[in-house]
Amino acid sequence: MKLRLARHGRKGIPFFWLMAADARCRRETGKEKLGTYDPCLSQGKAPKVVLNKERIQYWLSCGAQPTDRVRRILSEEGILPKYEFRETPKKSTPGKKALERKG
């Protein structure tokens, strides 16, 4: 099982549901809706993240693994310990052999 985001909304205005889903299923399918995440909201209006913390704790206790983005959201809400951000690899940097050729 995975805790992941399912995209809703329309083009250019994303809105996500936090879902408990089987890892082998498509992105939009899931067993249970656990909350919402709206990245387009400004700070003053409504909360960007609305979570059902009891059900999230239940799925985590059952062994569900959150994706990186969901882990980041849950750590900001205080459900999981602080998330260590991994740096994405720079794909455009030259490899070892290219660096050796340059000298």
Side-chain angles (χ1 to χ4, degrees):
M1 290 297 288
K2 287 233 182 238
L3 298 181
R4 63 182 177 197
L5 296 175
R7 191 180 196 280
H8 292 276
R10 60 179 205 249
K11 186 167 70 171
I13 306 173
F15 182 81
F16 298 94
W17 287 354
L18 178 66
M19 303 290 288
D22 187 7
R24 298 168 292 186
C25 293
R26 293 181 7 201
R27 178 182 68 181
E28 287 82 14
T29 60
K31 286 191 178 286
E32 183 178 355
K33 180 180 168 188
L34 303 173
T36 59
Y37 169 60
D38 191 353
C40 295
L41 282 179
S42 58
Q43 292 291 346
K45 293 183 180 178
K48 281 187 165 192
V49 179
V50 177
L51 300 174
N52 185 347
K53 293 181 181 181
E54 296 167 358
R55 294 302 295 169
I56 291 172
Q57 288 292 348
Y58 166 76
W59 282 108
L60 289 172
S61 68
C62 288
Q65 296 294 315
T67 59
D68 286 343
R69 176 62 58 181
V70 172
R71 184 179 300 276
R72 184 184 226 174
I73 291 170
L74 295 179
S75 67
E76 288 172 2
E77 294 294 317
I79 296 173
L80 289 178
K82 185 159 174 68
Y83 179 63
E84 295 292 328
F85 298 106
R86 293 186 307 191
E87 218 175 292
T88 56
K90 307 268 186 194
K91 291 188 176 183
S92 61
T93 57
K96 279 188 201 176
K97 290 185 179 179
L99 289 175
E100 289 173 4
R101 281 194 302 262
K102 286 187 178 180

